[in-house]
Amino acid sequence: MKQIEKQGNKFKTLFLTFFKIGLFTFGGGYAMIPLIEYEIVERHKWIETKDILDIFAIAESTPGVIAINTATFVGYKVAGFWGSLLATLGVAIPSFVIISIISLFFVQFQNLEWVAYAFNGIRAGVIVLILGAVVKMGQKGQYNPLTIILLVLAFLLASFTQINVVFLILGGAIVGLVYQVLLKKNPANNNHEVKK
């Protein structure tokens, strides 16, 4: 009986945690990163700090929204299939309901001056959230000359060309795989890397 109650509490906590993330974060997936990290790493300790960047990388490189992919992954890790389902529903339901309601009235309200001001304020807040996520994740990254080159190159290509970011992610993955394969083939480089 206690085991069932404990499992039920775990499901409830997963759902409510991701429901809160979906409800109180504006600006889409990247703006959700700070709140997701706080909830799953610092507050509930479902994921270790060292693993959070890998989870975000997997969530970003797979099809779908980063928040939903992260919720699915974390939910499965914490409580299997049902945990995955509940976490995913939790993060998706608030957006679905709010967008559905807004869509009913958007045409009537989009020309109102105060709505335009509100959107301008929200945009500014979203930029700050995304920059905060970049800084926080950047502090946790593990850097070597290759990762720094890839980081700068990806930034320049994403900012100043029309290349789709999907190709940048795939390119980074391929370069990382090739680098690791070459590193394993050359033990001298491998030992040097470990000493660093």
Side-chain angles (χ1 to χ4, degrees), residues 129-142:
L129 283 172
I130 293 172
L131 285 175
V134 168
V135 170
K136 202 166 184 182
M137 290 174 67
Q139 290 170 343
K140 293 176 182 173
Q142 297 177 351

Side-chain angles (χ1 to χ4, degrees), residues 21 23-28 31-32 98 122 126 129:
I21 290 168
L23 185 61
F24 292 110
T25 312
F26 298 91
M32 289 179 165
I98 291 167
I122 289 171
V126 166
L129 283 172

Side-chain angles (χ1 to χ4, degrees), residues 102 105-106 108-123:
I102 288 173
F105 305 104
F106 187 70
Q108 291 93 325
F109 287 107
Q110 66 180 341
N111 295 324
L112 293 177
E113 197 173 350
W114 63 269
V115 173
Y117 294 150
F119 278 127
N120 286 338
I122 289 171
R123 283 189 204 107

Side-chain angles (χ1 to χ4, degrees), residues 17-18 21-22 25 28-43 46 52 55-56 66-68 70-71 74 91:
T17 298
F18 281 98
I21 290 168
T25 312
Y30 295 112
M32 289 179 165
I33 286 174
L35 185 56
I36 291 171
E37 183 180 10
Y38 170 75
E39 290 291 336
I40 69 177
V41 175
E42 296 175 29
R43 185 167 180 217
W46 289 327
I52 194 69
I55 289 169
F56 287 143
I66 190 170
I68 290 180
T70 303
V74 172
V91 82

Side-chain angles (χ1 to χ4, degrees), residues 16 67 177:
L16 291 177
L177 286 170

